[in-house]
Amino acid sequence: MGYSHKQYLFAEYLMNRFGVSDQEFIQQFLDHYLSKYGRWTPSMDGRYNYFDVSAAIDSLLMEQNIKRNRYAIRKKEVRREYTTATDLSAFAFCPASYSINKSFEIPKTSNEREIGLGNYFHDQLNLLKKIKDVGVQKIETEYDIEADVFVLDDSCLQEIYSSTLIFNGHSLDTRKIFLNHETNVACVPDYIFQDIKGNNFVVEEKYHFYRDPRKLTYDEKLNYIEPDDIGRQRVLDRKSQIFHINHIIQVLAYIKNIIDYKIDYGYLVYWYYDFKENDENRTVPYLHKVSKKKILFDEYHRKVYSRAVHSLDGFLTSGRLEMRLDKIQPKKCAGCSVTQYCGHKTKKYTELSIPYSTDYLSLDNVEFPEELKKER
Ligand code: SF4
């Protein structure tokens, strides 16, 4: 399950064209690209399934195309109005990604599928299903509702389930933007609840794809090997306790800036999903794990939040920022929604501008691999 030798050579050649030369980086990037784009697909005669990597190669070709025509990218005016909690989160994720998103009109980001799934799960209002007195109305989506069964241990959410919903950011009737005119920060949290002690808290949900540990691997199925589902579950249990700093900053922004209610703390909730085939042989997503982190605006988090705000402010004021090259990681870049528009994953540029300069998007002249020439 992976690239053929020739597919890998071609993908590596394209990465070299983009200016990425570190072999280790390329390998990890391409591996992660596969998990994002690769699909098990039925063969023409329907007798077997094969792992189709063509979407990963197509995405790299699309990046080459964008960079070839970089002067045709439509620009946006970078405005300094309200900073949103999501801006702070995006900036903390990667300043280059933030700058690209603010500078370019991007017709199609490379993680539309993830965004679509996130919206689907949000529309299903998983968190509200177990809360009393909330009339949850499911929204019909392209996926079968039958896949949406709770097959996970959600006991860690008990404190949320026993609270009262005050604000639902996913309801068209009650949704509003909380503006803080003093800090110029705008917030739309997923939910605000009141706990049984009368304290208010925000909840922010994030959805991550992660293979269900209970699923047998290809080898386990084929060779009747004893499944290591317990080992895999332990790995996921450990992973699910790691919460990304950019998401924490988003929750801190809500606690700090929402003034319509006094927000005492926040919860970050991570849901993990996988896919399965339903009775009609359609692949449908389902949730199999959930974890949560309680976040207080304490001294430590106050410093974390202030650093993020000052750094973003300085960037917008000066239009320049020094990129931390150690923060540019292959997996993160492969999963990034604007990777096709980014020149910083090459690690060639230590400076970052806003608006994002198209000069960062130049292509290198690289010899086409001999082995592939025969096929042209
Ligand atoms: S590809 Fe990497 S360096 Fe570029 S914007 Fe995305 S995360 Fe940042």
Side-chain angles (χ1 to χ4, degrees), residues 93-94 96-97 100 323 328 332-333 336 338-339 342 344-345:
F93 169 73
C94 174
S97 148
I100 293 165
M323 267 305 269
I328 301 174
K332 183 168 149 183
C333 292
C336 168
V338 292
T339 189
C342 174
H344 280 80
K345 63 176 173 279

Side-chain angles (χ1 to χ4, degrees), residues 280-291:
E280 291 151 24
N281 289 337
R282 282 185 67 214
T283 304
V284 288
Y286 69 99
L287 301 168
H288 61 85
K289 169 95 185 156
V290 62
S291 64

Side-chain angles (χ1 to χ4, degrees), residues 340-351:
Q340 294 166 328
Y341 291 78
C342 174
H344 280 80
K345 63 176 173 279
T346 60
K347 299 197 183 185
K348 283 196 300 196
Y349 307 105
T350 48
E351 192 186 72

Side-chain angles (χ1 to χ4, degrees), residues 219-263:
D219 252 9
E220 286 167 352
K221 241 189 266 178
L222 198 69
N223 301 317
Y224 302 102
I225 299 172
E226 188 67 28
D228 181 26
D229 48 341
I230 296 173
R232 287 193 290 265
Q233 188 67 54
R234 278 202 205 106
V235 174
L236 175 56
D237 288 346
R238 277 198 298 276
K239 183 185 163 64
S240 67
Q241 292 314 309
I242 300 168
F243 293 84
H244 300 301
I245 190 66
N246 57 312
H247 297 153
I248 293 173
I249 287 172
Q250 189 173 347
V251 173
L252 291 171
Y254 296 145
I255 303 173
K256 164 91 180 149
N257 296 292
I258 293 174
I259 45 176
D260 303 49
Y261 303 96
K262 180 183 175 297
I263 307 293

Side-chain angles (χ1 to χ4, degrees), residues 14-281:
L14 289 172
M15 292 295 285
N16 291 157
R17 288 271 284 146
F18 304 153
V20 186
S21 52
D22 178 345
Q23 292 300 315
E24 178 83 25
F25 187 101
I26 292 176
Q27 178 157 11
Q28 288 190 33
F29 180 98
L30 292 178
D31 280 355
H32 200 71
Y33 230 44
L34 261 199
S35 60
K36 183 171 168 180
Y37 288 105
R39 297 282 174 271
W40 285 103
T41 311
S43 61
M44 293 285 272
D45 57 12
R47 285 169 53 204
Y48 62 93
N49 284 344
Y50 71 99
F51 197 69
D52 185 1
V53 305
S54 55
I57 304 282
D58 285 350
S59 179
L60 293 170
L61 282 169
M62 172 92 79
E63 176 164 349
Q64 178 176 242
N65 211 20
I66 289 167
K67 291 183 169 175
R68 260 190 194 139
N69 300 300
R70 62 187 191 275
Y71 297 116
I73 297 172
R74 290 184 58 195
K75 313 277 188 329
K76 284 198 286 204
E77 194 190 334
V78 180
R79 295 168 189 267
R80 284 207 69 173
E81 294 164 339
Y82 281 91
T83 297
T84 65
T86 321
D87 283 343
L88 282 164
S89 172
F91 179 73
F93 169 73
C94 174
S97 148
Y98 170 83
S99 177
I100 293 165
N101 268 306
K102 290 287 169 189
S103 309
F104 298 156
E105 297 281 357
I106 297 177
K108 193 171 182 292
T109 61
S110 58
N111 62 350
E112 298 226 320
R113 187 167 184 252
E114 287 86 347
I115 294 169
L117 282 162
N119 289 339
Y120 159 72
F121 283 125
H122 270 307
D123 288 346
Q124 293 301 300
L125 302 172
N126 296 296
L127 200 65
L128 302 191
K129 280 178 196 157
K130 292 202 175 173
I131 295 170
K132 279 186 242 121
D133 306 327
V134 180
V136 175
Q137 276 202 335
K138 277 189 181 176
I139 297 168
E140 288 296 326
T141 70
E142 61 181 300
Y143 301 112
D144 281 344
I145 297 301
E146 69 183 85
D148 184 46
V149 287
F150 269 94
V151 288
L152 74 175
D153 173 9
D154 59 350
S155 51
C156 70
L157 300 180
Q158 204 43 56
E159 279 168 75
I160 301 177
Y161 292 152
S162 53
S163 301
T164 309
L165 182 71
I166 298 177
F167 168 81
N168 178 359
H170 298 284
S171 157
L172 290 178
D173 302 334
T174 58
R175 193 177 189 277
K176 67 173 263 190
I177 299 172
F178 295 100
L179 293 176
N180 187 319
H181 299 293
E182 204 176 305
T183 58
N184 270 357
V185 175
C187 301
V188 186
D190 285 334
Y191 306 108
I192 301 176
F193 290 93
Q194 186 166 74
D195 67 21
I196 47 173
K197 292 183 185 154
N199 295 315
N200 299 330
F201 62 95
V202 283
V203 173
E204 183 65 22
E205 295 178 297
K206 302 289 178 193
Y207 293 89
H208 303 283
F209 169 73
Y210 195 93
R211 199 175 189 283
D212 189 339
R214 294 165 300 185
K215 266 189 182 173
L216 299 188
T217 63
Y218 187 70
D219 252 9
E220 286 167 352
K221 241 189 266 178
L222 198 69
N223 301 317
Y224 302 102
I225 299 172
E226 188 67 28
D228 181 26
D229 48 341
I230 296 173
R232 287 193 290 265
Q233 188 67 54
R234 278 202 205 106
V235 174
L236 175 56
D237 288 346
R238 277 198 298 276
K239 183 185 163 64
S240 67
Q241 292 314 309
I242 300 168
F243 293 84
H244 300 301
I245 190 66
N246 57 312
H247 297 153
I248 293 173
I249 287 172
Q250 189 173 347
V251 173
L252 291 171
Y254 296 145
I255 303 173
K256 164 91 180 149
N257 296 292
I258 293 174
I259 45 176
D260 303 49
Y261 303 96
K262 180 183 175 297
I263 307 293
D264 296 289
Y265 59 96
Y267 274 121
L268 191 50
V269 174
Y270 279 6
W271 299 91
Y272 294 86
Y273 65 86
D274 195 356
F275 298 91
K276 64 178 178 183
E277 289 207 344
N278 68 4
D279 295 342
E280 291 151 24
N281 289 337

